[in-house]
Amino acid sequence: MIELSQLENLLAVEKYGTLSAAAEHIHLSQPALSRSMQKLEDELRVSLFDRQKNRVSLNATGQLAVEYARRVV
């Protein structure tokens, strides 16, 4: 079940651009935010991020999820 906090976390990642910056602004640890985003991806059964070695960015599906999250939140 998707939790409202997961959607708020997704919006923070989009707003601040990185997991670490988003985590700092929403007062979570970066690993906790990463787990939250992984859980959201698992529940939606889609990948929301393009992952490179030390970088994570929203992919097209992630951008669409952000638009839906804005409507819900």
Side-chain angles (χ1 to χ4, degrees), residues 39-56:
K39 184 177 175 186
L40 180 60
E41 287 180 313
D42 291 346
E43 290 173 6
L44 294 174
R45 296 184 181 140
V46 295
S47 174
L48 301 175
F49 301 94
D50 289 329
R51 291 174 171 84
Q52 289 111 26
K53 185 174 181 177
N54 289 321
R55 183 170 165 81
V56 174

Side-chain angles (χ1 to χ4, degrees), residues 3-70:
E3 298 174 10
L4 184 60
S5 63
Q6 291 172 309
L7 299 179
E8 292 170 337
N9 293 346
L10 177 63
L11 293 174
V13 172
E14 192 269 337
K15 179 177 181 179
Y16 296 107
T18 65
L19 288 172
S20 55
E24 182 178 333
H25 282 87
I26 60 176
H27 307 289
L28 272 181
S29 69
Q30 188 273 328
L33 180 57
S34 293
R35 284 190 300 273
S36 173
M37 293 298 90
Q38 184 63 52
K39 184 177 175 186
L40 180 60
E41 287 180 313
D42 291 346
E43 290 173 6
L44 294 174
R45 296 184 181 140
V46 295
S47 174
L48 301 175
F49 301 94
D50 289 329
R51 291 174 171 84
Q52 289 111 26
K53 185 174 181 177
N54 289 321
R55 183 170 165 81
V56 174
S57 58
L58 287 167
N59 61 24
T61 306
Q63 290 291 341
L64 185 60
V66 164
E67 293 303 317
Y68 284 112
R70 282 190 184 120

